Amino acid sequence: MTVVPRVVLGAPSSGHGTGAIALGLLAALADRGLDVTGFKIGPDQVDTAYLGLAAGRPGRNLDPRLVGPERIAPLVAHGAAGAGFALVQGTMGLYDSIAGRPDTESTAAVATALRSPVVLVVDVAAMGQSVAALVHGFRSYDEQLWLGGVILNRVASPRHEAMLREALDDVGVPVYGALRRHESPPALPARRHGVVPAVGRDGDALRAVRRLGEAVAATVDLDRLLALARSASELAVEPWSPPPADGATGERPVVALAGGPGGSYSHPETAELLRAAGAEVVTVDPLRDETLPAGTRALVVGGGLPESYAEQLSANRRLCVAVAELARSGRPVIAEGAGLLWLARELDGLPMCGVLDAIGTSRDGLVVGYRQATARTDSVVATAGAVVVGHKQHAAVLTPRSGERAAWSWEGGAPEGFVWRGVHASQLVPHWAAYPEVAARLVAAARVPAEAPA
């Protein structure tokens, strides 16, 4: 049994300001000296990185499709260990699901599984008394859902706020705060920058989060919100934990994990799994570091590396050469998402690491979605025939789409990704908490003596 004071922040639909208010709540409570932590439902690593920046401890994704519904509560218990408040930021509308499975994957389903109260963020800029009907409908739709109250966003005036509060009081729904339109602080860095401003602890990102915290502290009743969070019942689960190394002793091989001073481009559980498997995990910044960490025996480039930094990645020629040498020596290299593009010969005419004989090209629009993938060949990630679920989100594509030994195949698509020597590169991003054997395989491969370069 784990006691975690917690709330889930949801909304009627996307665009109501849940993300900004989630960051503001974490920043405001952290400024009080409370140990806080943030989670994001779904695969979005950008929102998660900013939750981590606001909380001062790693933000974590809760994606039932990627890790299985049964792991959601254990992952929260693990990630919130020792925290005085946990905030779970929802996705889309409260009862919506990215992949059409609302019974297990919606914000409401996750809140119910976590036995957590929900605070609904509502953009009321064009709304009056109808807010009561809207909120009452969301509360009544699912009798298992615990809707603890609302936060009003983009309120026009004191008179407008009074009208809204009166309407909600008539249906017995508490209002925890009301943010005015003119009180909204400057926006966060553009999403095309991905996780980099948060992971790099960029000054603009830090200032924006601080301003959000100030705005929320001035308009939300934090004490009442904490009281609601503390009324959540115990989580009747054992916290998730990475399995320990299976009898391996001796050296702890150095595994370089791509990221920055504020975290990596991988889910936080990746580093935890690698350490438990016997690795010494050291961060390498592909945008700034010109060399790999001393003694590097393996490299992991997580799916949070954004495509928009092609020029900076290309300009860092010394690191590109070091990565190519590591791969050619047979050392294990796992590249997810845009990491695949970094290993290619070039991207949009810019030279990359040259590990893979392929060319990347950016296109309009995004390829987004989950894939149930089957491993096409034995690799450092999986044995041939193994099945995983991952998420793809990318604009750039590679030509060819796969190498002589493809990484994955799935229904309705041609084989994808590259397996070469110790390299496994693909735009598919699985969550390692669902497949802890990946870390064990990687560390075991890192202990094997290197091959002679071809």
Side-chain angles (χ1 to χ4, degrees), residues 81-168:
F85 175 79
L87 183 143
V88 179
Q89 180 187 336
T91 183
M92 306 171 66
L94 184 60
Y95 294 105
D96 298 329
S97 162
I98 294 174
R101 299 182 181 180
D103 290 346
T104 56
E105 297 177 8
S106 67
T107 298
V110 171
T112 301
L114 294 176
R115 306 170 70 189
S116 296
V118 174
V119 174
L120 199 67
V121 176
V122 184
D123 184 334
V124 294
M127 195 178 300
Q129 286 91 341
S130 294
V131 70
L134 174 75
V135 175
H136 176 69
F138 272 85
R139 181 179 59 181
S140 304
Y141 184 77
D142 182 357
E143 62 183 16
Q144 296 186 56
L145 184 80
W146 175 10
L147 202 156
V150 301
I151 293 175
L152 306 174
N153 194 22
R154 299 185 67 212
V155 176
S157 66
R159 182 184 175 193
H160 187 206
E161 180 180 343
M163 177 197 306
L164 297 165
R165 287 181 178 272
E166 182 178 351
L168 288 164

Side-chain angles (χ1 to χ4, degrees), residues 279-300:
E280 178 185 347
V281 179
V282 182
T283 300
V284 59
D285 188 338
L287 305 176
R288 296 176 179 83
D289 293 337
E290 295 187 348
T291 60
L292 290 167
T296 293
R297 303 284 291 273
L299 171 65
V300 177

Side-chain angles (χ1 to χ4, degrees), residues 9 17 31 35 40 60 75 97 130 159 411 419 433:
L9 215 59
D31 191 54
D35 192 350
K40 168 69 178 182
R60 297 173 188 264
L75 283 170
S97 162
S130 294
R159 182 184 175 193
E411 185 177 353
V419 175

Side-chain angles (χ1 to χ4, degrees), residues 14-105:
S14 299
H16 281 253
T18 308
I21 291 177
L23 295 178
L25 284 170
L26 289 174
L29 291 169
D31 191 54
R32 283 187 168 195
L34 191 65
D35 192 350
V36 299
T37 188
F39 301 84
K40 168 69 178 182
I41 297 172
D44 188 341
Q45 289 182 254
V46 178
D47 282 356
T48 306
Y50 279 97
L51 291 172
L53 183 65
R57 57 191 284 172
R60 297 173 188 264
N61 287 92
L62 301 176
D63 192 318
R65 179 66 68 90
L66 293 183
V67 302
E70 73 282 357
R71 288 191 181 89
I72 296 300
L75 283 170
V76 169
H78 167 73
F85 175 79
L87 183 143
V88 179
Q89 180 187 336
T91 183
M92 306 171 66
L94 184 60
Y95 294 105
D96 298 329
S97 162
I98 294 174
R101 299 182 181 180
D103 290 346
T104 56
E105 297 177 8

